[in-house]
Amino acid sequence: MSPEPGPTEPTADELPAVAPQLRALRMRSGLTLEAAAARAGLSPAHLSRLETGRRTPSLPMLLTLARTYETTVSDLLGEVPQAADPIVRAGRMEAQRAGGWTYWRAGGAGRAMQALRLHVPHGPGGQGDLVRVHPGEEWLYVTGGRLRLVLGGTAHVLAPGDAAHFDSLTPHRISAVSEGGADLLFMHTLMQSGAAGLCLGDAGTNRRGHS
């Protein structure tokens, strides 16, 4: 699979503020469009379309761009950190959609560790065919449905109450087994690296940068 997803039409619930923020962060980082695209494993044309809102980035793409600009997804989305408040109330967890997945931010902004609630839909249209490789660690806990987690060459099916904790440099991908999708708690670290993480196709070929 190509690391550049097909074009999508941005909608009101799909990160409307991310396009101008992407350009602002790139300029703040002192990177040209070409240099930033190379670090993220994208073509300059594709990054330009993200910056102008003609394409909507998936959640893995947001993670890759956050690493590229040495920031967090919260900063990339233009969110203002809440000062010294460790509590995230349920009413403030607004659902957002990216790449077919629905997620709720369950942690504070500007942290080295990101915490999310995720709903992974069943069937095509999600991100189950994306293999990810990037620095850091990931932890997930299934709260509903059944989840398929592939780590390296081994597939695992996780039921509610099951958890996984793994090094993100292990090629991994997740998809929902249940027809109604799968719900999970998900945490990952935002460790920085000189090269962006990899997003590979089903066969693990055509390696280019992505998260």
Side-chain angles (χ1 to χ4, degrees), residues 12 25 55 60 71 77 83 87 102 111-112 119 124 137 139 168-169 177 179 182 187 189 203 209:
L25 284 171
R55 285 192 178 179
T71 186
L77 295 176
I87 307 303
T102 304
R111 301 288 187 178
H119 175 75
E137 295 182 20
W139 174 89
S168 302
L169 286 174
V177 176
E179 290 188 4
M187 290 192 294
T189 57

Side-chain angles (χ1 to χ4, degrees), residues 15-186:
L15 316 178
V18 71
Q21 190 70 5
L22 280 176
R23 176 175 172 80
L25 284 171
R26 177 173 61 80
M27 300 298 291
R28 190 177 77 185
S29 299
L31 296 172
T32 64
L33 187 70
E34 292 74 15
R39 288 191 182 188
L42 302 172
S43 69
H46 181 62
L47 181 56
S48 177
R49 286 190 285 271
L50 292 174
E51 288 187 356
T52 55
R54 286 178 289 167
R55 285 192 178 179
T56 302
S58 65
L59 177 57
M61 177 65 71
L62 290 174
L63 295 173
T64 293
L65 291 169
R67 294 188 189 96
T68 298
Y69 300 137
E70 298 185 352
T71 186
T72 65
V73 172
S74 295
D75 191 21
L76 193 149
L77 295 176
E79 296 177 348
V80 178
Q82 299 297 316
D85 186 358
I87 307 303
V88 182
R89 299 294 181 184
R92 293 177 55 191
M93 297 183 194
E94 297 184 2
Q96 295 180 299
R97 297 186 67 249
W101 292 357
T102 304
Y103 68 98
W104 297 259
R105 194 169 309 284
R111 301 288 187 178
M113 180 177 69
Q114 298 285 290
L116 303 169
R117 282 199 300 123
L118 282 175
H119 175 75
V120 180
H122 179 264
Q127 303 168 35
D129 57 344
L130 299 183
V131 179
R132 301 179 184 88
V133 182
H134 54 85
E137 295 182 20
E138 294 187 23
W139 174 89
L140 59 87
Y141 177 90
V142 180
T143 60
R146 298 173 71 216
L147 187 77
R148 185 171 187 264
L149 169 66
V150 179
L151 290 174
T154 305
H156 309 268
V157 175
L158 281 66
D162 291 340
H165 188 177
F166 53 92
D167 189 323
S168 302
L169 286 174
T170 302
H172 55 281
R173 61 180 174 181
I174 65 176
S175 58
V177 176
S178 304
E179 290 188 4
D183 297 292
L184 60 147
L185 303 177
F186 173 78

Side-chain angles (χ1 to χ4, degrees), residues 3-20:
E4 297 185 13
T8 59
E9 291 296 327
T11 61
D13 63 347
E14 290 187 295
L15 316 178
V18 71

